[in-house]
Each structure stands twice: as C-alpha cells, then as structure tokens.
Amino acid sequence: MLKRLNDPQLGREMIRKVRERAARLTERLGRAVTLMEVCGTHTMAVSGTGLRGLLSGLVELRSGPGCPVCVTPARDIEQIIAFARLSGVTVATFGDMVRVPGAQSSLERERAGGARVQIVYSPADALQLARDNPRWEVIFIGVGFETTAPLAAVSIKQAAELGLTNFSIYSVHKLVPPVMGALLGAGDLKVDGFILPGHVCAVTGSRAFAFIGEEYGIPAVVAGFTPVDILDALYVLLDLIQAGDHRVVNGYRWVVRDDGNLKAQRAITDCFYTGDAAWRGFGVVEGSGLFIRDQYAQYDATQKFAGAGPASVAGPGLATERVGKSTTTGGFGTGDFLEPRGCRCGELLRGLITPPDCALFGGKCTPASPAGPCMVSSEGACAAYYRYVTNQPRLPGVVNANSGAAGSGAGCRKVEL
Amino acid sequence: MQFKKRRTVAAMCLGIPAMVVEVPEKQWAVIEVEGVRRKVGLHLVGEVAPGDYLMVHAGFAVEKLELAEAEARLAIWKELLDFERAEEA
C-alpha cells in the first residue's frame, strides 16, 4: 500500500492531470498560479521529486515559514550557544541546529572548541543521555512545531516521574496557525492557495487552519509527503481555486483527523503555555510560542540557567546587522535581533521572494558555507533549491559540482518520481 | 536499532510511516522501516497491535495510519485515469 503512494507510473499520470488543470487556470488568470508550501518537508519534496520544475510556468511554488530551524531567530541561536559555553553542560539537539550560524559562532564551532554538543534523533534520546550521565547537565533544544512539541512534553513528564535533576529543555517551540494568521494579516503575500503541513495538522487537526479560508478567502489543502499525496493535494487545490471555493480541505485523511490528535494536544497544554514568540523574518508573533509551565520550572533551561544570557546580542558582530521594522517590507521586522548582512531569509520565509532572488544565494551562501539558516537546514528552501533546482548558478561550476554530489543533476528537467 | 543516518540526524520534522512488529511494553512499540527496527513511544496514540501502521516523528508515534483512506483515494484516481483511457480508446 505505502509503495503505491510512491508509484512512478501513477505519479507520471497524475502529473499530466495536474498540469492540465493548472494550464486551464493559468490561462484564465493570465499568469502562473501561485501556491505556498508552508512546510519545509514539502519544500524538500517538491524540489527533490522534480515537481517544482515539472510545473514551472504553470504553478509557482513559494516556500513559507515551515522550517523550524529557519524561523528560530538569531537571538535564540545566541542563547543556545551561550548554554553550550556553560561548564558541565551538554547541549542535545537535532542535527540541523548545529550548523546554524550565530553572530560569531555556531554550535559546531563551540563543539570544535571543546563544548559538549550532542546530536540526538529524539527528545527521548536526550532524556536517556541525562539518565546515563548523572554528572552532566543535559539541555535539550526544543525546536519545532506542533509535531515536536508534544514529544518534548512527554519527555518533561517522564523526567518528572523519574525525578531527574540534570535534564532541562530550552523551548523555542512554535505554533503554525498563529504565524499563518500573521502572514496573511500583513497583506503583502499574494498567493492563490496553500499546501498545508500534513504532520502539523496530524496534531492540530485540519480544522485549526479553517480560518485561512473563512477569514482570508484563500483555499488550502492539507497534504501528505509522498509524490502521490502531493499531486493529489495539488489537483484538489487547483480545483478549489478554479471553482472559487475558499475551503480548507483535508487531503491527507490517512494520517490527519479533522480534530487532530487530542492526546498530543493535551500533552502540549499540560506542559506548555502559549505566549508571544519571535520568529526570524516575522518579528514577534502573538500567541505563537510554547513556554514551559511553572509546574515544570525545574525542567525549563531558561529558569534553571537564568544567568546564561546571550552575550553577543549586545553588540553586532562583523557579519551581522540590526534589522528593524523600518527596514523590512510588509510591516514585519526582526526588531533587535541580529541577522547576517545581506541575508534575505526573512523575506523568503514570508513568501515574498524565492532563493535565487537573494544576492548571497549560491555565491556567499552555499550549503558548505551557509550565511543564513534557510541554507543550513535540510528543510530550508535555499538548501532545497541549491541541491535540486538551480540550473543557472551565480558562480560557474558551483552547481555542477553540487549536482553530482546530490546525485540528481538538474532536478528541473528530470522526472524523478 | 537506528534509521539510516540521514533520517536519524538531519530531519527532525520528517515523519516516517512504519509498521508495528512488537509491543513489548504498554508505552513502547518496536517498529520496522525498510528492514530497520526501532523502539518508539506510544504516549500520544494509545494502544496498538503488531501489524498496525504508525506515523513516527523523532522517536514517537504521532498518529495511527488509516490505510483504507489512502486506498479509497487511490481508487478514485484509478477510476479517473481508467475513464480517460477508455475515452481515448
């Protein structure tokens, strides 16, 4: 069954139908249909399967704020680096976080300098690390959306049951519906429809996104991640746009319930309260952050290590600049947070540009030497474009070398389903 | 018992559909993906049995899979494509 969701033959036939439908719509609109894929894993999938290229000219796919590493603001990166510098502390984190550059350092550099930074696959692994090493202070970096927050919540509860005293979490968990509200409320995003993040919806339920259709008149489809899932969702979404139907449709029913996973929702609300949180590229978004409840204060790294503030935020480093509200378009700003100079990850995350629009892309910013987080994370739009899509490199030779490494060549021109 | 390196390390958000092969404890199951086995937490999905399918994220099941729903959707596509072929013929 699962194999059939990856069936290349079916995929090719579905692409033909999607293209037909997109062509009809493009003709009517007099321009390409613009859709936003909110989730970083969709960004990766539409690039990796060659779909982005196969639909080029008919459907323009914009990336959104759905890569958790990318939207973690510079200030949090500095805080995480500050934790890693504390003596006796081990920072446990997902792999993508390790290379995100801060103003002057990164976890990777701190590790090279002797800090203990451990890559883990699961918060459960971080908890196990603390159990196995009672003399270490393990801080798990709780980054992610509704899919990862309940897992961290379970780990906090387990730590409490075990009476562990050497485990804590730095919660930079974020919620997707509020940022979608902020994105749409700003009014500068021009898209015809949304491809909604399937696994976030598995937790929240598809209904949590119904406001997109009801309040903003834009249709959306909850999509899965296999080629067949994505093509099916695209087909439905194009149909909704053609019909002027502004509903939010659950196109991933084999995983997503309309009301979501109630147990997971309860785990989140048991351990976290919602508050305002800063997002890279968006500034502070009301009610979009999850913070550890007082009841579990001893597992909250911000309270446990209250003295360990991010030092380098106080003054800009050589390669950074302050980005204030007045310097960005659309009313969003990152306020006091430092961003790499010239980096346009913020605009990218708001769907205003595509990676090749950034002057750093492919030149000063590559996966080997990333300037901004969207090039670091495997789910980042810049990394996905660089790996699969770029046909016209800014630096001759760069992409040729890369395409060999990625084993995909010019993904645009190949059917890779 | 680990997934392939890329899945294990890089992708925090990547959900992996996996079959339950064993439920040794109430809260933990052993799943298998492409021949690789791993223990995952069941805290968010309740009871499961061998043969059930789960969507797994970062070491925990986040939802039980309803494969019949995917079957139903595939059947609609099959009908659509068959109809088109018949028309062409």
Side-chain angles (χ1 to χ4, degrees), chain A residues 1-2 4-5 10 13-14 16-17 20 41 44 68-69 94-96 119 121-125 143-144 147-148 150-151 154-155 158 199 202 228 232 235-236 252-255 257 260-261 263-264 267 378-379 387, chain B residues 2-3 6-18 28 38 40 42-47 53 55-71 73-74 77-78 80-81 84-85 88:
Chain A
M1 173 68 233
L2 294 171
R4 274 197 282 153
L5 295 171
L10 178 59
E13 291 189 60
M14 288 174 81
R16 195 164 43 78
K17 299 300 292 177
E20 272 173 28
T41 313
M44 229 168 35
V69 171
F94 296 122
D96 286 358
I119 292 173
Y121 164 66
S122 165
D125 295 345
V143 59
T147 36
T148 45
L151 321 181
V154 168
S155 299
Q158 284 178 333
H199 294 152
V228 168
D232 185 28
Y235 192 73
V236 173
Y252 194 29
R253 305 200 78 90
W254 62 281
V255 179
R257 318 284 166 256
N261 180 334
K263 274 194 171 194
S378 59
E379 293 166 23
R387 190 166 170 200
Chain B
Q2 294 235 308
F3 289 124
R6 188 163 161 252
R7 287 187 171 168
T8 315
V9 175
M12 82 183 76
C13 261
L14 193 58
I16 299 161
W28 299 91
R38 194 192 152 101
V40 297
L42 300 174
H43 308 72
L44 307 173
V45 293
E47 276 183 32
Y53 277 83
M55 186 56 72
V56 176
H57 267 265
F60 290 88
V62 292
E63 194 52 276
K64 286 187 206 173
L65 305 187
E66 302 283 347
L67 292 182
E69 293 280 358
E71 293 273 10
R73 199 60 208 165
L74 282 172
W77 270 98
K78 187 172 181 298
L80 174 76
L81 295 167
E84 195 182 67
R85 270 186 223 111
E88 279 168 14

Side-chain angles (χ1 to χ4, degrees), chain A residues 343-396:
Chain A
C343 173
R344 297 181 74 184
C345 282
E347 289 162 86
L348 182 83
L349 294 165
R350 302 204 305 275
L352 302 180
I353 61 165
T354 59
D357 295 331
C358 176
L360 302 186
F361 180 77
K364 284 187 177 163
C365 185
T366 64
S369 174
C374 300
M375 189 61 96
V376 175
S377 171
S378 59
E379 293 166 23
C382 296
Y385 263 72
Y386 190 88
R387 190 166 170 200
Y388 296 113
V389 181
T390 312
N391 282 322
Q392 294 172 328
R394 281 166 190 273
L395 291 181

Side-chain angles (χ1 to χ4, degrees), chain A residues 158-355:
Chain A
Q158 284 178 333
E161 280 164 24
L162 293 163
L164 276 190
T165 57
N166 63 328
F167 176 76
S168 59
I169 290 185
Y170 180 53
S171 174
V172 286
H173 293 107
K174 293 180 166 49
L175 301 171
V176 179
V179 83
M180 292 299 290
L183 191 65
L184 286 159
D188 55 355
L189 177 69
K190 303 275 181 283
V191 297
D192 301 301
F194 288 101
I195 301 164
L196 293 176
H199 294 152
V200 164
C201 293
V203 171
T204 64
S206 53
R207 264 197 260 278
F209 290 88
F211 72 95
I212 293 174
E214 288 161 8
E215 289 175 33
Y216 298 97
I218 300 177
V221 174
V222 179
F225 299 90
T226 71
V228 168
D229 275 334
I230 296 174
L231 286 163
D232 185 28
L234 279 174
Y235 192 73
V236 173
L237 186 53
L238 291 168
D239 190 36
L240 290 172
I241 298 168
Q242 179 82 33
D245 187 340
H246 300 151
R247 266 178 309 158
V248 171
V249 170
N250 181 0
Y252 194 29
R253 305 200 78 90
W254 62 281
V255 179
V256 174
R257 318 284 166 256
D258 293 347
D259 290 322
N261 180 334
L262 301 178
K263 274 194 171 194
Q265 291 168 20
R266 208 173 308 124
I268 292 175
T269 50
D270 279 354
C271 284
F272 300 104
Y273 65 92
T274 53
D276 302 345
W279 294 59
R280 193 185 291 258
F282 293 83
V284 174
V285 177
E286 207 179 309
S288 69
L290 292 174
F291 304 96
I292 296 172
R293 287 190 183 279
D294 282 348
Q295 181 191 349
Y296 296 107
Q298 59 171 317
Y299 302 106
D300 182 355
T302 51
Q303 297 196 39
K304 194 169 181 181
F305 303 95
S312 52
V313 166
L318 285 175
T320 59
E321 62 183 349
R322 277 175 197 279
V323 183
K325 283 199 173 192
S326 57
T327 63
T328 54
T329 54
F332 283 117
T334 42
D336 230 10
F337 308 115
L338 302 170
E339 302 293 343
R341 185 167 293 152
C343 173
R344 297 181 74 184
C345 282
E347 289 162 86
L348 182 83
L349 294 165
R350 302 204 305 275
L352 302 180
I353 61 165
T354 59

Side-chain angles (χ1 to χ4, degrees), chain B residues 4 15 24 27 32-33 39 42 44 48-49 57-58 61 64-65 89:
Chain B
K4 287 175 187 168
Q27 300 274 43
E32 187 172 305
V33 184
K39 203 168 145 184
L42 300 174
L44 307 173
V48 301
H57 267 265
K64 286 187 206 173
L65 305 187

